[in-house]
Amino acid sequence: MLQRSTVHIDAGSTAISVAFAQRMEALRVFERLAPTVNHTQDGLSGKYFQFGLESFYGTSNVTPVGAAGARAINGRYPANLAESLTTAPYTMADYGHGEDLDDALLADADAGIDLEQVKLEKIARKILRDDLQRVVDIMFDSADLTTGATLSGDEQWNSTMSDPLGDFDTASETIHAATGLWGDSGYDRVLAVADNTWNRIRRNSQLVNQFAGIGEKLVKPADLRDYFDDVVIVPAVKGNAKEGATATITRTVAKHACIFLRPKSPSKWTAACVYAFQKGALESGFTQESEKVRRFWSGHYRTEKLVSLAMAYLYTNAIA
């Protein structure tokens, strides 16, 4: 297997890969789904803060310091936030892709085509797709994210009888009850759906009547700002087959919707939502595989762990 230590890391190749990755905004939506923090292999503590309700509120029979005139909330008094640390382990990989470029292919290329750049951009696209898929596989899988509900019939958001605003409230109230957090200044409230799901729910009559402008028939993500700080629309399709095999196209996110809290300033010590996805800086280079063949490689350190499932709510089958 190609290792970083065997690759000649090249500044020019790295610049091409990084510039291309920055332009691929549609594929970089995973950065809005899971907190990403640049890091190296050194100095990882493997720990994240997470919050529980009892550490967020003091019990009603305890008078906190300075509590004179304090307002009770559901029989509890606001207290100082006490954090606990996760114990779930990290997984870490020196992750990347490679592509061969031989002299014969270079000789056949049309004038003006930079095949080195083409190869590096192709690899960067692969890495972005894999990063997106890995995050989505965790955040939209009811086997991993067990807090939520399955909608059916008139409950589904493409039905004129559905109540998506009530479902939004249920999610936020459940998260708040489990963590004490919702609409906190350190967190964004986020709705994440596949683009095929969004195309249905943006026509929902309740949402249109409540939020759309006069004469408008579709809801825009910005229209939901009273409920969410960000609406993330995830590319809907992926290919299941390896390159060169018959393509099988399936849905990335199916018909689900995830409502969750996302740190505004993610770090190794931030209470992260659901899933921590950390990446080292993207680097690129090449090895000389043979006299006439070079292999271009791009990659980064990738670290991940489940963190706090209480900070998210998954609606399975949000549309029919």
Side-chain angles (χ1 to χ4, degrees):
M1 179 180 177
L2 196 63
Q3 299 291 329
R4 181 185 301 266
S5 58
T6 65
V7 175
H8 170 70
I9 300 298
D10 179 75
S13 298
T14 298
I16 291 172
S17 299
V18 170
F20 179 79
Q22 290 298 317
R23 295 199 303 270
M24 293 291 100
E25 186 174 352
L27 292 179
R28 285 175 35 240
V29 295
F30 66 84
E31 297 175 357
R32 294 161 62 194
L33 293 173
T36 58
V37 183
N38 282 331
H39 68 82
T40 65
Q41 279 187 308
D42 300 324
L44 283 177
S45 67
K47 304 212 183 236
Y48 269 85
F49 285 130
Q50 60 183 357
F51 301 112
L53 180 63
E54 292 303 325
S55 64
F56 190 76
Y57 288 116
T59 56
S60 58
N61 60 354
V62 176
T63 303
V65 175
R71 181 172 62 89
I73 303 176
N74 295 330
R76 301 163 188 257
Y77 290 93
N80 290 330
L81 186 66
E83 304 91 348
S84 61
L85 290 172
T86 62
T87 57
Y90 279 109
T91 61
M92 171 173 270
D94 187 2
Y95 167 81
H97 282 290
E99 285 276 336
D100 290 340
L101 180 59
D102 60 71
D103 289 348
L105 189 60
L106 282 170
D108 288 338
D110 290 338
I113 295 180
D114 186 342
L115 285 185
E116 294 183 6
Q117 179 172 340
V118 170
K119 288 290 186 181
L120 288 166
E121 291 183 352
K122 182 178 180 182
I123 297 169
R125 188 187 298 272
K126 284 183 180 180
I127 291 173
L128 290 172
R129 287 190 178 278
D130 285 356
D131 287 344
L132 171 62
Q133 191 59 55
R134 181 58 186 152
V135 172
V136 165
D137 282 346
I138 295 290
M139 293 191 66
F140 289 87
D141 187 343
S142 58
D144 293 304
L145 186 56
T146 55
T147 302
T150 299
L151 303 182
S152 61
D154 288 341
E155 297 173 328
Q156 292 173 302
W157 296 340
N158 56 304
S159 169
T160 57
M161 302 297 292
S162 64
D163 181 19
L165 294 181
D167 293 329
F168 296 165
D169 287 337
T170 295
S172 65
E173 290 164 5
T174 301
I175 293 171
H176 181 74
T179 66
L181 300 172
W182 187 255
D184 182 88
S185 60
Y187 292 86
D188 289 324
R189 302 161 297 172
V190 184
L191 168 67
V193 294
D195 53 9
N196 61 314
T197 303
W198 175 252
N199 287 339
R200 300 281 193 89
I201 65 175
R202 66 179 180 162
R203 296 193 294 267
N204 179 277
S205 57
Q206 183 190 61
L207 297 181
V208 171
N209 292 337
Q210 183 77 16
F211 297 112
I214 297 174
E216 297 287 339
K217 296 182 179 180
L218 299 174
V219 171
K220 299 182 290 295
D223 293 333
L224 300 182
R225 58 185 173 272
D226 286 343
Y227 276 82
F228 303 108
D229 299 298
D230 192 13
V231 176
V232 181
I233 301 172
V234 183
V237 297
K238 64 178 180 179
N240 276 351
K242 293 182 178 180
E243 188 173 355
T246 302
T248 303
I249 302 300
T250 59
R251 290 290 177 185
T252 301
V253 186
K255 302 175 181 179
H256 309 329
C258 186
I259 295 171
F260 63 98
L261 294 179
R262 181 185 64 200
K264 292 181 183 293
S265 300
S267 73
K268 287 191 295 183
W269 302 279
T270 303
C273 162
V274 188
Y275 182 63
F277 187 81
Q278 296 179 295
K279 301 192 322 174
L282 183 65
E283 294 181 308
S284 300
F286 62 88
T287 59
Q288 194 72 42
E289 297 293 297
S290 68
E291 183 180 349
K292 297 182 178 181
V293 177
R294 279 182 297 168
R295 165 157 285 201
F296 284 89
W297 177 90
S298 296
H300 54 67
Y301 296 118
R302 191 164 86 174
T303 307
E304 56 192 64
K305 70 187 295 186
L306 285 169
V307 181
S308 179
L309 296 180
M311 298 178 77
Y313 196 95
L314 180 68
Y315 280 109
T316 304
N317 295 333
I319 62 170

